[in-house]
């Protein structure tokens, strides 16, 4: 019998694939229509609501970022699952490295809320 992956782990897997390839369709397919999110990205400041805003964010990522993500730790709690991640890649064609924490709140197999916290140890190079 195969063990089923926790939906937050599946979402993180899809985030990793999206960052590497620019294809965010699998992650977008996991979003609740009423998803809320917060990412520290210009143009998406504050808490955003709805799948249409999230799709616009992932389209921006598809056009702007290609990166390899390595999960260093996973924290779980009642409110969600957090992933501490090392990122190395390009943004707008410029190399960058960063650390971030992605938090997913998942119910019934769908992402209802996600948020991202950044730390830029090296900044854009």
């Amino acid at each position: 019998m195969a063990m089923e992956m926790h939906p937050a782990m599946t979402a993180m897997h899809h985030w990793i694939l999206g960052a590497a390839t620019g294809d965010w369709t699998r992650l977008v397919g996991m979003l609740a229509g009423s998803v809320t999110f917060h990412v520290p990205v210009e143009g998406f400041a504050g808490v955003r609501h709805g799948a249409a805003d999230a799709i616009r964010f992932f389209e921006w990522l598809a056009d702007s970022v290609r990166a390899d993500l390595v999960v260093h730790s996973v924290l779980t709690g009642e409110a969600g699952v957090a992933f501490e991640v090392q990122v190395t890649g390009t943004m707008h064609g410029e190399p960058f490295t960063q650390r971030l924490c992605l938090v997913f709140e998942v119910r019934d197999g769908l992402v209802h809320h996600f948020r991202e916290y950044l730390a830029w140890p090296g900044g854009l190079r």
Side-chain angles (χ1 to χ4, degrees):
M1 174 187 317
M3 190 167 116
E4 186 174 322
M5 192 180 318
H6 187 285
M9 296 291 285
T10 301
M12 187 68 235
H13 175 74
H14 294 332
W15 193 292
I16 290 168
L17 288 174
T21 67
D23 180 359
W24 294 91
T25 54
R26 287 185 177 104
L27 182 60
V28 166
M30 287 189 71
L31 300 179
S34 61
V35 66
T36 60
F37 67 100
H38 180 272
V39 293
V41 175
E42 188 175 327
F44 299 93
V47 176
R48 309 297 281 188
H49 303 277
D53 259 0
I55 289 167
R56 196 168 59 81
F57 169 67
F58 290 113
E59 286 172 348
W60 178 86
L61 282 178
D63 290 341
S64 307
V65 175
R66 287 298 176 279
D68 294 318
L69 280 67
V70 177
V71 175
H72 285 275
S73 60
V74 179
L75 306 167
T76 61
E78 287 183 32
V81 180
F83 299 87
E84 181 185 341
V85 179
Q86 171 71 39
V87 182
T88 305
T90 60
M91 182 182 298
H92 304 294
E94 295 293 322
F96 79 103
T97 111
Q98 72 183 108
R99 301 275 289 192
L100 60 88
C101 182
L102 289 165
V103 181
F104 295 99
E105 294 178 22
V106 179
R107 289 188 313 279
D108 304 319
L110 295 176
V111 175
H112 287 265
H113 187 79
F114 67 90
R115 57 195 176 277
E116 180 178 342
Y117 303 94
L118 293 180
W120 291 84
L124 290 170
R125 290 192 245 150

